[in-house]
Amino acid sequence: MSMSLDCGGQPLEDDRLARVALMRIAEAGDPVMGRLIAWYGPRSALDQARRGTLEPEFARRETELAEASRRRLNLEQLVAGWAARQADPAADLAQGRRRGARLIIPGDPEWPTQLDDLGDYRPYGLWLDGEANLRFTCLRSVAIVGSRAATPYGVTVAAEFGSRLADEGWSVISGGAYGIDGAAHRGALAGGSPTVVVLACGTDVCYPRAHEDLFRAVRSQGVVISEWPPGVHPTRPRFLVRNRVIAALSRGTVVVQAAVRSGALNTATHASTLNRQLMAVPGPITSENSEGCHVLIRQGKAVCVTSVEEVIELVGSIGADLAPERRGPVRPRDGLDDETRRVLEAVPARGGAGPATIAVAAGVDMTTALSCLGSLTAAGFVEPVARGWRLRPALAT
C-alpha cells in the first residue's frame, strides 16, 4: 500500500489531513476508496475524489472488477457523490480535540495492525476517545456480540464472560448497543479490564442515549472508537459496516445470543472471513434468541463454548491456555476395581445375604468374595448383619 512517512517513521501530516477529509467524503468501508488509497496514496485519492474524476487506468480496472464479480457499480455516480461532499479536515481535527477525541491512521504507533487484514475495507482512520491505548488493549481481546433484545439468560452470560475475561487479563470489544453488548462492557468494567466500544457514529454522539453513563465509564477505563467524524449520526447500514472492525480488532468473536436474522451474525461472518476464532453460546432450543447461535454451531461455523476457559483455550497461546477437562462428580465407588465393584453390586440393600449368595451373584469365587467384602466393610460400603452382609444405609438410599 502507498504510504508517505516522515524520517521518524510517522505518516506525513499532509497524509493525515487527507485521510481526515476522506473520512468525511467517502462512506466508511468503501472498497473502491480503499483501493484508490492503496494505489495512489491518500493525497492523490483525495484530489481525484474532490474533482470527481478518477485516473483512467484505475477507472478501467474498477469496471473490470465489477463485471468479473457480477457486481453492480455506477462508478460515475459514486465519484460524483464524493465530489459533492464538503470536507474541512483542519476543522474536523480541531472539533475532535475540543471534544476529547484523537485521530490515528495506519502507520501511527497506536494503530492496531490487525486492521490491515481488512484489505480494501480497512478504515481510512479511527477517532478515539478514552484513556486506554487501542493497540495494546486489543493485543489480548475477545469480541462479545449478540441480540439487543437479550433475555435475562443472555445478559447474565455476557456479563459473566466479560467479567471472567477481565479477571484473566483479556479485553472485551463490542458495539455498545443494548442487550448483549452493554452487558459484556459492564462485565469487563466490573472486572477492571479495558473495554472497547466500536460506534456507528461520531465518538461525540451518544447512541443509544441511555448508555451515556456506560460510555463515560468506558472512556475512563477503556476507549470509544469510530470511523466517522465528529457529529455524524448512526444509520442502519453503518451498524453493519462497523461490525467488520469489531471482528478484525479481536482474536475471536463470541456470539452469546442471536436470532436467525441478527446483526451479530454479520459480525460472525466477518470473523470467519478474517480467519478469527468464531464461537457461539448455546441456549434453550425453545428460544428464538438462540436460534442463530445454534445454526452457527450446527453448520460447523462456530465452536460451541460454555465457559470463559473454553474461550481462552481457542484464542490464547497454543498449549498454554488449555481449558480444564470437565468431569462429573467423583463418587467413593469410582476408585473400586472391577471385582470389588461387582461384589458391591451383589450386596442387597435390605435384609442381608451370605458370602456364597453374593459370590454367585457377582460371578466370583468364595475366596475373592470374602476378600472384597472385608475391604468393602473397612471402607464403609457394607456392614455385617445376622444374615450376612448388606449395604450401609447411606449407600442404600
Side-chain angles (χ1 to χ4, degrees):
M1 290 187 177
S2 175
M3 183 182 296
S4 301
L5 303 176
D6 62 21
C7 58
Q10 299 293 318
L12 292 172
E13 192 61 27
D14 287 346
D15 284 355
R16 189 177 304 276
L17 288 171
R19 285 182 177 273
V20 174
L22 290 171
M23 293 170 75
R24 182 75 69 174
I25 287 174
E27 194 61 45
D30 184 341
V32 178
M33 177 55 75
R35 286 188 287 271
L36 188 65
I37 295 173
W39 270 50
Y40 298 103
R43 283 175 287 172
S44 177
L46 178 61
D47 289 342
Q48 294 178 57
R50 280 177 166 166
R51 69 172 184 256
T53 305
L54 297 175
E55 293 292 336
E57 181 184 4
F58 182 82
R60 176 184 56 78
R61 184 174 178 272
E62 284 300 312
T63 301
E64 291 174 352
L65 282 174
E67 290 175 351
S69 61
R70 298 181 180 179
R71 173 172 49 91
R72 294 181 61 183
L73 174 65
N74 190 329
L75 199 56
E76 292 182 1
Q77 185 180 55
L78 177 65
V79 176
W82 292 345
R85 298 190 183 105
Q86 300 298 316
D88 184 347
D92 275 345
L93 284 173
Q95 183 179 6
R97 283 192 292 267
R98 284 196 303 272
R99 300 187 179 183
R102 61 189 183 277
L103 178 85
I104 62 170
I105 65 173
D108 282 339
E110 197 175 352
W111 182 264
T113 54
Q114 61 266 40
L115 287 176
D116 299 342
D117 293 345
L118 290 168
D120 298 336
Y121 298 87
R122 183 179 69 167
Y124 318 134
L126 287 173
W127 291 94
L128 278 54
D129 187 358
E131 298 297 324
N133 180 289
L134 181 62
R135 182 174 184 177
F136 293 155
T137 298
C138 294
L139 289 177
R140 284 167 53 92
S141 63
V142 176
I144 299 179
V145 297
S147 173
R148 286 175 170 81
T151 66
Y153 163 78
V155 170
T156 299
V157 171
E160 171 84 11
F161 273 39
S163 176
R164 290 282 294 112
L165 283 166
D167 290 342
E168 299 297 326
W170 289 77
S171 304
V172 171
I173 301 173
S174 197
Y178 290 128
I180 299 302
D181 291 14
H185 289 305
R186 291 187 179 94
L189 291 170
S193 176
T195 184
V196 179
V197 173
V198 184
L199 294 177
C201 53
T203 57
D204 58 334
V205 177
C206 183
Y207 187 90
R209 293 193 62 82
H211 279 180
E212 184 174 354
D213 290 342
L214 173 61
F215 292 166
R216 185 181 299 114
V218 171
R219 290 184 180 98
S220 66
Q221 191 169 311
V223 62
V224 175
I225 73 172
S226 174
E227 298 178 74
W228 287 273
V232 173
H233 289 267
T235 62
R236 187 178 298 274
R238 286 172 181 163
F239 286 107
L240 296 177
V241 169
R242 65 91 189 264
N243 287 344
R244 78 196 195 288
V245 175
I246 295 176
L249 283 174
S250 60
R251 288 198 185 181
T253 294
V254 181
V255 184
V256 173
Q257 269 192 331
V260 173
R261 291 179 60 84
S262 170
L265 298 186
N266 176 260
T267 309
T269 299
H270 286 301
S272 295
T273 303
L274 292 165
N275 292 318
R276 304 294 196 264
Q277 288 287 352
L278 178 59
M279 297 151 278
V281 176
I285 61 173
T286 55
S287 173
E288 292 184 1
N289 264 2
S290 290
E291 284 184 7
C293 295
H294 298 158
V295 169
L296 290 174
I297 295 169
R298 181 167 57 83
Q299 293 178 343
K301 296 178 180 178
V303 177
C304 176
V305 292
T306 59
S307 70
V308 165
E309 289 77 14
E310 293 173 355
V311 172
I312 294 176
E313 179 180 288
L314 291 168
V315 300
S317 302
I318 296 176
D321 293 307
L322 295 177
E325 185 178 350
R326 294 198 175 191
R327 299 179 182 273
V330 178
R331 296 171 179 164
R333 66 179 64 196
D334 291 344
L336 301 177
D337 60 49
D338 185 57
E339 285 183 337
T340 306
R341 189 179 296 111
R342 293 208 310 272
V343 170
L344 178 61
E345 293 295 333
V347 177
R350 293 181 178 85
T357 302
I358 293 173
V360 171
V364 299
D365 58 56
M366 179 69 76
T367 302
T368 300
L370 288 170
S371 174
C372 292
L373 285 168
S375 299
L376 291 169
T377 302
F381 287 96
V382 301
E383 62 183 4
V385 293
R387 298 180 59 184
W389 278 268
R390 72 176 180 184
L391 293 179
R392 291 182 64 87
L395 278 85
T397 57

